Structures are given as C-alpha cells and as structure tokens.
Amino acid sequence: MRLHRLTVTAFGPFGATQEVDFDALSTGGLFLLHGPTGAGKTSVLDAVCYALYGAVPGARQSPGATLRSDHAPPGLVTEVLLELTVGGRRLEVTRSPAQPRPKKRGGGFTVEKAQSRLREHDPERGWQALSKSHQEIGEELTQLIGMSREQFCQVVLLPQGDFARFLRADAEARGRLLGRLFDTRRFAAVEERLAELRRGAEARVTAGDEKVLALLQRIAQAAGPAGTETAPPASRPGEPGLADAALGWAALARSAAREHLDIARTVLAGAEDRQTAARRTLDAERELARLQERHAETERRSAALEERRPDHDRCLQRLDRARKADRVASALELREESERAHRAASDTLDRARTLLAPALRDAGAEQLADLERRFRLELGALEAARAAEARSARIDEERSRLNRQARADEELIRETDAWLADWEAARAALKERVDASQEAATRAERLAGLLAPARHRLAAARRRDGLAAEVADARERFAAVRDRELAARTHWLDLRERRLRGIAAELAAGLVTGEPCAVCGSPEHPRPASPGDGHVDRATEERALAAHREAEETRAHAEQAIGLVRERHTAAENDARGEEARSPEVAELLSLVERLTDEHTAAHRLAAATHPAREALAAAEREHTERLEQRQAATSRTAARTSERETLDREQARLAEQIAAARGESESVAAHAERLTRRVTRLTGAAEAVRAEQDAARRRKEADDRLADAAFKAGFDTPAAAAATLLDAAAQRELQHRVDAWQAEAAAVADRRAEPGARQAAERPPARPEQAERAHASADRLLREAASALAAAQERCAELSRLSRQSADEVRGLGPVREEYERVARLAGLAAGTSADNERKMRLESYVLAARLEQVAAAATARLRRMSSGRYTLVHSDARSGGRRAGLGLHVVDAWTGGERDTATLSGGETFFASLALALGLADVVTEEAGGVRLDTLFIDEGFGSLDDQTLDEVLDVLDSLRERDRSVGIVSHVADLRRRIPVRLEVVKERHGSSVRHRL
C-alpha cells in the first residue's frame, strides 16, 4: 500500500484546505513530519486513518470529540481526500463527517449527514465512481488493505508510546494487545467450544446415570414385598460401578419374583377345583327348584283353562256364521252402490227439467236431441254476422282515431306558423349575444395579462416596505455585535501578550526538585521565576479566547443575517419597480390592481356566457328545421286521412245491412247468439240426464236379483238376516285370536303334563338353592383372590423383565457417552491449561499468542542488534510471571553481561529503540498474517528525543534500510537535530487562524 496525496479541509487544527504530496516526500525514502507541539502533526495521521476507515485512531476517538476545525468559516465543508495505491489499484477516497452547515432558507444551522465517495483511476477512461455507501467503501478498503483499523494504527502508524508500555506490561496486557492484532478470537472460541462440549457430555453422562438410578427405584417399586431383602445400591450419578451394581440387583429381584409366581399358580389350581365342585352343587339345586316350580305352574294353568272353555265355544259359533255371511257381502255392497247411483241420476234429471220450457219438461231423450241439433245449425249460421258486427265496431274506433289525429295536426300547423313568424327577430338577437360574449372574452384575457404583474408588483412593494425596517434593525444589531467582537478580540490579545511576558513564572510553577526542567533539562532550579503584578494565567487567557470566538461567531451570524435581509430588500424593490424608472408607492399599485380587477371581473362574467349563447343559437336553428319538417308531415297526413275516411264509410254501410238481417229481434248479433247457446246447453244437459236415470234404474234391478240369490245360497232366509250376521275383518281377527290363544294354551298344558322330569321332581323333597349359592360364592371369592395374586405376580415378573431390559439398554448406551465425555474432558482441560498433560498450564489462545510473540521477538531482534550495536537481543519466555497467563513473557539478553533480564529494566533511550525494533518486527509479522500486503508507506510517531547522537545515527540507519524496494518512512517528531539529518520534511505551522503545511524538499 502506497499513499500518493492527502487533502484535508476544515479538519482538526487545519482551518482551510491543506494538501500533502506523499509522492514528493517519498523521493528520499525517509522524510520528517515536524512542527511545534499542538500544531497538528498527529492530525495528519488521523486524517489518513479517517479516510481509510471512517474513524480516527481509538485513543483519540473520544465520545464528545468533533473532527471539524474550530478555525473553519461556517460555509466551508469539512472533508478529507486520500489518493493511494493498494492491491494494484489506484483509488481515491473522500469522506466528510456529520457537521453543521447554514440553512439554505432562513437563519440558523442544520446538521449535514456524513458522506463517503470512492473512485478508481482507469488509464483509459480516467477516474470512475465506484460507490457512495459507507458500508460498501469500508468493506472494499478493509479487504484490499487486509487489516482492521486497530491493526493499521499499530502497524502503519507505529505509536511508540504503546510499544514502550508493551515492553513493560505484564502477560495479561500483552495478551490483550496481541489478541487484537492477530485476531485469536477463533482459538478462544475453540476453548469455549471444547468447554461447552465437555459440559454437554458431562450433562449427558449425569442424565444417563440419573436414568439408571431412576430405573433402580422403579424396579424396587415393582418388586414390592416380594423383592430381595437387600435394598437397591445407594449410588450417585457419575460414581464408578453403578452399572454393574444396578444389573446385579435387578437379577436378584427377578429371581424372587419368579418364586412368588410359582406359589401363586399352585394356590390358584386348588381354588379352581373347589369352585368347580361348588358350582356343580349349585346347578343341581337350581335345576330341582326349577322343575318343582314348573310342575306347580302347569297345574295352575290347567285349572284356568277349564274355566274359559264356555267362552271358547261361543267364539267358535260366532266366527262360523260371520264367515258364511262374508259370501253375501259383495252382493250387498253392489246393491247399495246401485241405489246411490239411481238417486243421484234422478236428482240431476229433476234439476235439468226445471231449466226447460214447460212444454218440454216431460219430453223424451230423442225429442230433446232433435231440438238441440236444430238450434246448433241456427247458431252456426250467425258466425258471419258476428264477424261483421266486430268489424263495424273496429271501424268506429278507427274513425275516432282519425278525428283525433286530424285535430292534433291542425293544432301543430297553427303553432308552427306562429313560431315561424317570430324566427328572424329571435335569430338576430341570439347572434348579437354571441358576438358580445366573444368580444368580452378577448378583453378579459388582455386584462388578466395586466393584472398578474400588477399584483406581483403590489406584493413586492409591501415586502419592500417591510424589509426596509428589517434592514435598519439588522444594521443596528450588526454594529453592536461588531463592537463587542472587536472589544473581545482586543481583550484576548492583551491578555495573551501579558501571559507571554510572564510565561516564565507559569513554567516555574510546574518545577519539581530533582526532576529535569522542560526547557533546559537541568534537575536543579536555583532561581525559579515568580509571578508579578497583574499576572495572567492560562485559564484566564482561554476564557478570553472562548469569549472572543463566541463574539466572532455571533458577528459572522449577524453579518450573514444583514446580507440576507439586504438581498431580500433589493429583490423586492426590483420586483416592485418592474419596467418603470422609479419605484411606485403601495397606494398607486393598490389603485391600479383594484381598477384592473373590477374590469377583469366584469369582462370575465360576460365572457362566461359565450358557450351558453352559442348553444342557444344552435338549439334555435335545430328547432326551426324540425318545425318546418313537422308542418310538412302534418299537411301530408291530412290529405291521406280524407281518402281513408271515405273508404271506411262505404264498408260500414255494407256491414250494417248484413247485421240487421241476422240479429232479428235481439239488440245485436252477439246477444242473439248468446241466447241460442244457452238453449243448446240446457237441451244437451236434459237429454244426458234422461239417459243416465234410465241406466241407473236398470243397474239397481240387476243388483236386487244378485243379492237375493246370494243370501239363499249362503243359508240365510232373507238378505237382511245375512246383513245382520256380517262382521268386519277386525272383529273376525279378534275372535280368531281368542280361539287360537285358548287352543295354544291347551296344547302347552298337555305337553308340560307329559314331561317325566317335572313329575319326578314334584315327588322329591323341596330344593334348597340358597345354601348352595352361599357355598359357591365363598369358593368363587377364594378363586378370584388366587387369580388376582397370580396376575399381580405375573405383572410383577413382566414389569421386572421390562425394566431390567431397559436398564441393560441404558447401561450399554451409557458406555459410548462416558467414553466421549472422558475424551472431550481431556481435550477441554488441555486447551484450558488445567489438564495434567499440559505441563506449562498454558491455554490454547496463549499458546498461539506465544508463537506469534516468538515470531515478533525474532523479527525485532534483527533490528535491535543494529540499533544497540549488537548488545541487546529480545527473547520470548513461556514461564509464568506473576499473572495468570503463561507463555507471554518477553526478556532482553545483554551481550555485555551475558545475562537475561526483564525489558522493564531498560533505560529511557534503550526502551525507545527496543520498542521501535519491536514495533517494526510486529509490523512485519502482522503484514504476513494479513496475507503479505506490501506496506510502502510507514509512519513512526515520537520518542527520538531520548537518544544520544550515536544511537540516533544507528536508529536512522535501521530506518533508512526500510527504504529497500521503494519503501518510504515518515518520522513524526519535533526534535530539532532531525531537521539537519533528514533533508526531506513536511512542516506543520501553527497559526492563529489555523495550522498549515509546508513541503521542504
């Protein structure tokens, strides 16, 4: 990585834009960055770090710090631009922090967000933009550089104070620094992961042992009182021998349970024999009791059957006569049905005869039929007359319609003639209205073009008058603020001058006996200066400076405010003047606006009627055309109606003669036809009624003959006797059911009397089933108890077998888990440094850091020998040194004494070049760790003031050797002797209005 150009604007102590040309400084390989204390030498390095990582080094990144320069004017934006080559690519990165800026509108400030830009130079196309995202730029640069911000600040900027502390630090502090640089978090993660695996394996072993102990308790519960006399093994999870003890005790419990199972089986067999004998006795007694009760019941049923015999005989007799009467039932039903039909036909005939004329009430069916046919012929002859009568009615309706149409057309013609008489005058008035509206629209458009500028000038004039007062107020405020700023500046300069005159007394106040003076370096202070009258201390000067800066900022704000007000007043005055030579008053412009507004309103109101006027004219012309067409159509229809009316009159006269001949004495043909239709209907009904009554009388006589014959054949004297004996189906089923029930009961009693067992049982003594039931219940209870005991023993054996198998499975499964735990525990202990196998009790992370420290010590020794003229060598020590971390010791070997001692015993100058050698060695190792990224630009910050001339020459020789392969090294120091030794310099000059840089090539 090589730096080419750095541009800082309003950054840190730099109030303006400053540019650092690293290409020019790198021509000599070694260049000096110098300047007085507080000038901003370190801020140059901060700007490089901020451009690459978006933040300054961690030691200077305080929570309340701001990167913006206090010397920068309000309108100048803080920005850092760095051009560099890294990974074979030439890039330009620009960053701006979040900062306040003046608002574009109004007064005050607003916070501008942080911004970043990245560009790449292409030989053919020039600079090409890559990204504006903070995250994308940070990831891209970090990947190309190969180092984090902490590593970059430690390797490229080489802060000597940190490495001096590193030399004197204990193992814990060295471990923290090396851990940040080499990122050994993955090894710490391995330690934590192994510890986590050990805890997990231990938890699984404990859980497995707890399962085995729980199974032992369940085996003890399952064994119950039949278990072994010895209790289960009282072991804890994790104790050795738990598995063997569990399996042995489970085998003893299973053996005892099998013995109790054999005893229970023997007891159950004896109880089953006793229960079988009691059951046979109980069944015999119950059977005897049943037979004796059956015989007694048979005797009771036989006696009851003889009591119901007379009723049975009566039912048989009634059922026989009812079945004979069933043969006459169909003839009786036919006679009743024919009688009902004859009565209905007689009633219908009587009603039909009442509708006939008196002369026809006794007429026969043939006479009535002949009269009906004659009337039907006469009715058919009236069809043509009825059609003629209907057509005559329609002709009357058509004549009425023609009269209505004639009156409507006459009215239409009169109205149209009256409207057409006024047409020319109305048309001229509508055209005049359209022309007036169009002229008003043109006038309104012209007035609108004059009104808008007039209103704008009026508003500008009002703003002008209001801003004039604001300009006067702003002038007064600015004069007062400017006076205060000049007074504060004069006061601060006066105090500063007085403090500089008495600075010796201020320096003397910090002298301590025995410690060197910061000015002359002498540890003795014979005549320290004392403050005189009116002495000004640093705090007083700083308060005056703060007051001056506050007054200066207030003056800048006031100056900006008056400028803004003046610009607004001038713009308002120009807008109010318009194209005139002078600026008019508000009253003049107001009168002009009101006059134009009134004229425009009137013209706009009249112009708004343009479209309605055109629509009215078009509608009138359409109505004129329609009325002419309607009048011509009405005249044509009038002529056509005259011819149609004459035709209808001739047709109606012919139809009137035909209707008069056909209707006779009736009012109309329809009335005459309706009277004939009623006569035909009455005659037809009367003829049909006569024929129906004759048919019904014949069927009734036939039914009487069939009934008399059926009654005689069934054995009845008269049909009435058969009808009295007749029963319905329900009554016959009831009688048959009573007869069948008596006969079934008689058959059952006869069968039970024939049973030999019942007779023999009746001759024996009475049965005693209750005593046999009590004996059987006792035997059954003993059997159930024996069966329950056997089931419990079987269940106990099965449960013990299942739990024993489960215990054996758990023990077998626990073996690999326990082996894994022992293996993981050994690895975790070894990585954590607690295992006996780890002889030096060194953690894995410490082991890796020790290896890195050994590499750093070897790389640093090559340069330390040259700086110390071969006297000192850095070596790594893995012994524990008071702290908890082992393997991170660092000693120095003195070739003059041959002894090895701690680095904390080095003097100030020796500590400087030892820490410098260590920093350079660490930079080499970190560079290799980051993937071999080439670092072509390095900076070394301070510490050269503690070296003598010879040692300084040797250190510079070592640094000069870093220029090999086109590498440049920048030394940050204010030591004056280095200016003589290093010709290429970058000087940072401290000034009152902000620092600046100067190149000395």
Side-chain angles (χ1 to χ4, degrees):
M1 181 188 71
R2 175 177 292 276
L3 305 182
H4 298 291
R5 179 172 56 92
L6 174 68
T7 304
V8 294
T9 302
F11 181 85
F14 304 105
T17 300
Q18 302 295 326
E19 182 173 339
V20 179
D21 188 351
F22 287 112
D23 288 337
L25 294 174
S26 300
T27 54
L30 195 64
F31 64 91
L32 177 65
L33 177 59
H34 70 97
T37 301
K41 300 185 296 299
T42 307
S43 296
V44 175
L45 308 185
D46 292 346
V48 173
C49 182
Y50 177 72
L52 294 177
Y53 295 96
V56 297
R60 294 182 289 278
Q61 186 71 31
S62 58
T66 177
L67 300 180
R68 180 168 176 79
S69 176
D70 296 333
H71 304 284
L76 187 62
V77 179
T78 300
E79 184 177 85
V80 175
L81 182 148
L82 177 63
E83 184 179 341
L84 73 158
T85 298
V86 59
R89 300 167 62 185
R90 184 150 184 159
L91 303 175
E92 179 190 82
V93 57
T94 305
R95 293 188 187 268
S96 297
Q99 55 190 297
R101 64 164 177 82
K103 292 183 178 179
K104 297 180 179 179
R105 296 181 180 177
F109 290 83
T110 184
V111 177
E112 185 80 18
K113 294 182 179 180
Q115 297 181 4
S116 298
R117 297 186 299 276
L118 180 64
R119 300 196 303 170
E120 182 176 4
H121 186 269
D122 187 278
E124 297 180 357
R125 296 182 297 172
W127 289 103
Q128 301 293 320
L130 296 182
S131 176
K132 293 185 178 180
S133 169
H134 300 291
Q135 182 178 359
E136 291 180 359
I137 295 173
E139 293 176 355
E140 180 76 12
L141 291 177
T142 302
Q143 183 178 2
L144 290 174
I145 297 172
M147 289 181 285
S148 64
R149 180 168 62 93
E150 290 77 9
Q151 290 175 323
F152 179 84
C153 295
Q154 201 74 35
V155 173
V156 178
L157 305 184
L158 298 182
Q160 295 305 304
D162 289 352
F163 283 95
R165 288 190 296 272
F166 182 79
L167 281 174
R168 298 184 176 91
D170 56 9
E172 291 292 334
R174 287 198 186 105
R176 287 193 294 270
L177 177 60
L178 293 174
R180 291 197 305 270
L181 293 177
F182 293 106
D183 192 14
T184 57
R185 290 174 295 180
R186 59 186 184 278
F187 300 103
V190 170
E191 294 179 21
E192 181 60 28
R193 179 58 178 165
L194 288 174
E196 182 181 349
L197 292 176
R198 179 185 59 77
R199 290 192 295 271
E202 183 179 5
R204 289 192 292 274
V205 170
T206 302
D209 289 343
E210 289 176 352
K211 284 185 179 180
V212 172
L213 290 176
L215 288 172
L216 290 179
Q217 296 297 328
R218 292 175 61 185
I219 290 174
Q221 293 176 1
T228 60
E229 297 180 357
T230 60
S235 301
R236 292 190 301 273
E239 291 186 358
L242 175 61
D244 296 336
L247 296 179
W249 187 82
L252 292 176
R254 291 198 305 275
S255 178
R258 284 195 292 270
E259 293 177 0
H260 280 268
L261 178 61
D262 295 338
I263 295 173
R265 286 172 176 167
T266 302
V267 172
L268 178 62
E272 288 176 346
D273 294 340
R274 290 191 295 273
Q275 193 269 350
T276 300
R279 183 66 187 178
R280 285 197 295 268
T281 302
L282 177 60
D283 292 343
E285 289 296 322
R286 286 177 175 174
E287 181 64 19
L288 179 60
R290 185 186 68 79
L291 292 175
Q292 290 177 349
E293 177 62 25
R294 186 177 181 82
H295 183 269
E297 183 185 359
T298 300
E299 293 298 327
R300 290 192 298 272
R301 291 171 64 183
S302 177
L305 191 64
E306 289 301 326
E307 292 177 0
R308 298 199 306 271
R309 184 180 292 275
D311 182 64
H312 169 65
D313 294 341
R314 287 193 297 274
C315 287
L316 281 175
Q317 185 178 4
R318 288 185 61 193
L319 184 61
D320 181 61
R321 290 180 58 81
R323 287 175 175 169
K324 290 181 179 179
D326 285 343
R327 293 195 291 270
V328 188
S330 59
L332 285 172
E333 293 177 359
L334 181 61
R335 172 65 175 76
E336 292 176 359
E337 182 180 356
S338 62
E339 180 63 26
R340 289 193 299 272
H342 181 265
R343 285 197 300 271
S346 298
D347 294 340
T348 302
L349 178 60
D350 294 339
R351 287 193 299 272
R353 289 186 184 277
T354 57
L355 297 177
L356 298 177
L360 298 176
R361 290 179 180 175
D362 295 330
E366 295 298 331
Q367 183 181 358
L368 294 173
D370 293 341
L371 188 59
E372 174 194 358
R373 284 192 293 273
R374 185 169 61 82
F375 283 156
R376 284 185 181 279
L377 292 175
E378 186 178 354
L379 184 62
L382 291 177
E383 288 299 326
R386 292 173 65 181
E389 189 176 45
R391 173 59 183 163
S392 178
R394 288 196 299 274
I395 289 175
D396 293 338
E397 293 176 357
E398 291 180 5
R399 186 181 289 108
S400 299
R401 177 180 58 80
L402 292 175
N403 293 335
R404 288 194 303 271
Q405 292 177 353
R407 289 192 297 272
D409 287 342
E410 291 174 359
E411 180 66 23
L412 176 62
I413 290 172
R414 286 196 301 272
E415 181 183 357
T416 302
D417 292 341
W419 190 88
L420 291 175
D422 299 332
W423 162 243
E424 292 298 333
R427 183 170 179 272
L430 289 173
K431 283 188 174 182
E432 183 179 356
R433 178 182 168 191
V434 170
D435 295 340
S437 299
Q438 290 178 346
E439 182 181 356
T442 303
R443 186 167 60 258
E445 184 176 359
R446 180 178 59 81
L447 290 172
L450 298 175
L451 183 59
R455 287 175 176 172
H456 180 70
R457 293 177 62 193
L458 175 61
R462 288 171 174 170
R463 289 198 308 274
R464 176 200 62 197
D465 294 347
L467 290 172
E470 293 184 15
V471 169
D473 294 341
R475 286 174 179 172
E476 294 178 0
R477 287 195 299 271
F478 175 72
V481 169
R482 182 180 58 191
D483 293 342
R484 287 196 297 271
E485 189 266 339
L486 290 176
R489 178 183 179 86
T490 303
H491 179 62
W492 167 64
L493 293 176
D494 180 61
L495 292 178
R496 179 176 177 81
E497 186 68 25
R498 289 163 58 189
R499 182 184 173 224
L500 290 176
R501 288 198 299 268
I503 195 64
E506 184 176 337
L507 294 174
L511 294 177
V512 179
T513 303
E515 294 186 3
C517 174
V519 179
C520 63
S522 174
E524 297 179 359
H525 319 296
R527 292 191 304 276
S530 59
D533 295 336
H535 174 68
V536 178
D537 56 6
R538 182 176 182 177
T540 303
E541 181 193 355
E542 289 180 350
R543 286 195 298 272
L545 176 61
H548 163 60
R549 288 179 176 174
E550 183 179 359
E552 188 178 28
E553 184 177 356
T554 305
R555 182 192 61 78
H557 291 170
E559 186 177 4
Q560 182 181 10
I562 192 174
L564 292 175
V565 173
R566 284 175 176 171
E567 291 177 1
R568 292 166 58 192
H569 179 266
T570 303
E573 186 174 5
N574 293 332
D575 291 344
R577 180 182 297 110
E579 298 180 357
E580 297 181 6
R582 67 179 187 88
S583 180
E585 298 296 330
V586 174
E588 299 177 15
L589 293 175
L590 180 61
S591 175
L592 175 63
V593 168
E594 290 177 350
R595 179 176 59 79
L596 291 176
T597 301
D598 295 340
E599 294 178 1
H600 176 267
T601 302
H604 186 272
R605 187 183 304 110
L606 183 59
T610 302
H611 182 70
R614 290 176 178 173
E615 291 292 330
L617 177 60
E621 292 176 347
R622 288 194 300 273
E623 185 178 1
H624 175 261
T625 302
E626 292 174 358
R627 285 182 178 272
L628 289 177
E629 292 175 353
Q630 290 174 358
R631 188 180 187 286
Q632 183 178 1
T635 303
S636 300
R637 288 194 299 271
T638 300
R641 276 194 296 272
T642 302
S643 174
E644 186 177 0
R645 188 179 291 109
E646 292 175 355
T647 302
L648 292 176
D649 290 341
R650 288 193 298 272
E651 183 180 2
Q652 192 170 33
R654 180 177 54 79
L655 293 175
E657 295 177 358
Q658 182 179 357
I659 293 170
R663 69 184 181 186
E665 298 178 355
S666 300
E667 298 177 354
S668 64
V669 176
H672 186 58
E674 183 179 358
R675 185 164 55 251
L676 291 177
T677 301
R678 287 197 300 271
R679 288 179 180 178
V680 169
T681 302
R682 292 171 183 174
L683 289 174
T684 302
E688 291 178 353
V690 170
R691 287 192 290 271
E693 191 275 338
Q694 293 174 354
D695 292 340
R698 179 178 53 76
R699 286 195 297 271
R700 184 182 63 177
K701 184 177 182 308
E702 292 176 354
D704 288 339
D705 295 341
R706 290 180 61 184
L707 177 61
D709 184 61
F712 177 76
K713 291 180 179 179
F716 294 99
D717 295 338
T718 61
T725 310
L726 190 64
L727 295 176
D728 57 8
Q732 290 186 22
R733 285 196 300 273
E734 178 63 23
L735 290 174
Q736 185 64 47
H737 176 71
R738 292 169 63 183
V739 170
D740 294 342
W742 190 92
Q743 290 177 353
E745 180 67 12
V749 169
D751 291 341
R752 293 180 68 170
R753 282 180 173 276
E755 294 177 356
R759 290 197 307 270
Q760 295 174 1
E763 296 173 356
R764 295 177 60 186
R768 302 176 62 184
E770 295 81 3
Q771 183 177 359
E773 285 181 357
R774 288 194 294 273
H776 177 266
S778 177
D780 197 24
R781 178 177 54 79
L782 293 175
L783 178 61
R784 287 196 303 273
E785 291 177 355
S788 178
L790 177 61
Q794 290 175 341
E795 183 178 358
R796 184 180 300 112
C797 289
E799 181 67 11
L800 288 174
S801 298
R802 185 182 66 79
L803 292 175
S804 297
R805 289 193 301 272
Q806 190 174 353
S807 300
D809 293 341
E810 289 293 339
V811 170
R812 283 193 300 272
L814 190 57
V817 175
R818 195 180 300 278
E819 292 176 0
E820 181 184 1
Y821 165 68
E822 293 174 355
R823 182 174 62 257
V824 172
R826 286 196 302 272
L827 287 175
L830 186 63
T834 59
S835 172
D837 297 335
N838 193 330
E839 297 179 358
R840 298 188 180 277
K841 305 301 181 184
M842 187 184 299
R843 290 174 48 202
L844 177 61
E845 183 182 11
S846 299
Y847 177 78
V848 175
L849 291 177
R852 292 290 186 267
L853 183 58
E854 188 174 4
Q855 294 175 355
V856 171
T861 297
R863 295 184 175 91
L864 180 59
R865 286 177 178 172
R866 292 186 58 186
M867 294 180 187
S868 63
S869 300
R871 179 179 178 182
Y872 293 117
T873 302
L874 286 176
V875 294
H876 158 255
S877 174
D878 55 6
R880 302 177 71 83
S881 57
R884 294 175 295 171
R885 191 187 295 263
L888 297 179
L890 191 62
H891 292 173
V892 60
V893 178
D894 191 346
W896 291 1
T897 62
E900 181 177 332
R901 54 194 172 97
D902 193 270
T903 54
T905 61
L906 295 173
S907 66
E910 293 171 342
T911 300
F912 168 71
F913 62 70
S915 61
L916 177 58
L918 185 64
L920 295 174
L922 184 61
D924 293 340
V925 175
V926 172
T927 301
E928 295 176 0
E929 180 74 12
V933 177
R934 177 177 173 83
L935 301 178
D936 295 324
T937 305
L938 296 178
F939 294 93
I940 301 174
D941 192 1
E942 287 298 346
F944 293 89
S946 59
L947 303 179
D948 55 33
D949 292 342
Q950 181 180 355
T951 306
L952 181 59
D953 289 336
E954 293 173 350
V955 171
L956 292 179
D957 289 341
V958 173
L959 295 179
D960 192 58
S961 66
L962 296 177
R963 295 185 299 171
E964 299 174 358
R965 291 179 295 176
D966 199 23
R967 175 182 289 184
S968 62
V969 179
I971 298 176
V972 182
S973 178
H974 60 273
V975 177
D977 193 37
L978 289 176
R979 303 176 194 173
R980 176 179 56 82
R981 298 172 182 265
I982 303 176
V984 180
R985 302 190 301 273
L986 177 67
E987 182 181 3
V988 181
V989 182
K990 182 167 62 174
E991 299 174 347
R992 178 172 296 176
H993 298 293
S995 299
S996 61
V997 298
R998 300 174 183 173
H999 294 76
R1000 304 292 185 182
L1001 306 177

